[in-house]
Amino acid sequence: MCFPRTFPAALVTDVARRLDRGGADELWIIEDCFFTAGPSLVSAALTSTERLTVGLGIAPAVARTAAITAMEFATLDALGPGRFLPGIGHGVQSWMEQMGVRPKSPLTTLEEVTTTVTRLLAGEEVSFEGKTVYLKDVKLDAPPVTPPPILLGVMGPKSMALAGRVAGGVVLAEPATPAYVRQSVEYAGSPDGFVVAVFAAMCVRDDRKTAYEWTAPWLGWRIGDNHPGVTALPFFDEMKKLFDDSGVEGLVGMPTDWWTEIGAIGTLEDAAAHIDALEAAGVHHIGLFPDPEVEHGLPQLDYVLELAKR
């Protein structure tokens, strides 16, 4: 399950414990400016559980220096050895500008940060002088025994290719459809051992129409935004025409198999079918992303636990 940025921080330990006790595999913490801080929530989730893997999706590359990012990741790995998955991304550039850290070249910056953080986590002493990253004789006192793979939270073809060159994998934002997964891995060059984590849109209800009605406005926004998760769909042109002609109501009436391709949306069986399709596409880690409003999103945790039992 994902822990949306809008959930109160104090909920994270209860959510993590329920997932841990209920047999779910993972909790993904969402860090967006200027909401809750990711590493703090990851720490709380790791220290309150025994077996749960906790992912960070994602730390903006320039929000912290490369050395501090490596320190954070090494510390979190020490709190839950083998249970932490770190993600780094460009960050929303308007947010980076608000903080005065917007880089001239986000792609170059992400490459420098990923490369140097990877080396630091491997226990190297690093000196580096790049366009954004500067390090002089920096070495972590306690690097991880087994460094976790750094996953890049990126979208575009150039960034995917970068992930394939310098990172351990990717984190794909919702809607991470199976078609989008396959496209992204292809852009990355399909390297050996490449880890794919995704956030899957989740809305489980007793009947499909209710779930579709709840989710359709969000899907319309993603269509209008040309999110690659939907543009990669083989039926995107038909879906967009339907939305252009009939709006949200048109989306509600889409075929069930379209909805199942888009997310864990509909009945519990539909959600299970979406998870199966993601795994068949080569996904290793799935974070089911509930409604961001606590009163609607938190009850989805019960369905996550039901799915975990299958």
Side-chain angles (χ1 to χ4, degrees), residues 182-270:
R182 290 188 287 268
Q183 181 188 80
S184 299
V185 173
E186 182 179 347
Y187 286 152
S190 304
D192 291 338
F194 198 65
V195 177
V196 179
V198 303
F199 298 156
M202 181 187 193
C203 181
V204 175
R205 296 290 189 272
D206 291 335
D207 66 282
R208 287 170 172 159
K209 186 178 179 183
T210 301
Y212 298 165
E213 288 174 341
W214 192 270
T215 312
W218 166 82
L219 179 58
W221 166 57
R222 284 310 199 192
I223 293 171
D225 199 36
N226 285 317
H227 188 283
V230 294
T231 59
L233 291 167
F235 50 84
F236 173 71
D237 290 339
E238 296 173 78
M239 183 173 64
K240 187 175 187 307
K241 186 177 187 307
L242 187 64
F243 179 58
D244 291 341
D245 292 345
S246 304
V248 167
E249 290 186 4
L251 297 180
V252 172
M254 291 193 312
T256 297
D257 59 333
W258 287 16
W259 277 107
T260 303
E261 180 82 3
I262 290 165
I265 301 164
T267 65
L268 196 65
E269 293 299 325
D270 295 329

Side-chain angles (χ1 to χ4, degrees), residues 148-172:
I150 292 181
L151 312 180
L152 297 192
V154 291
M155 289 188 183
K158 291 183 179 179
S159 296
M160 291 294 176
L162 172 65
R165 291 198 310 272
V166 305
V170 289
V171 180
L172 303 179

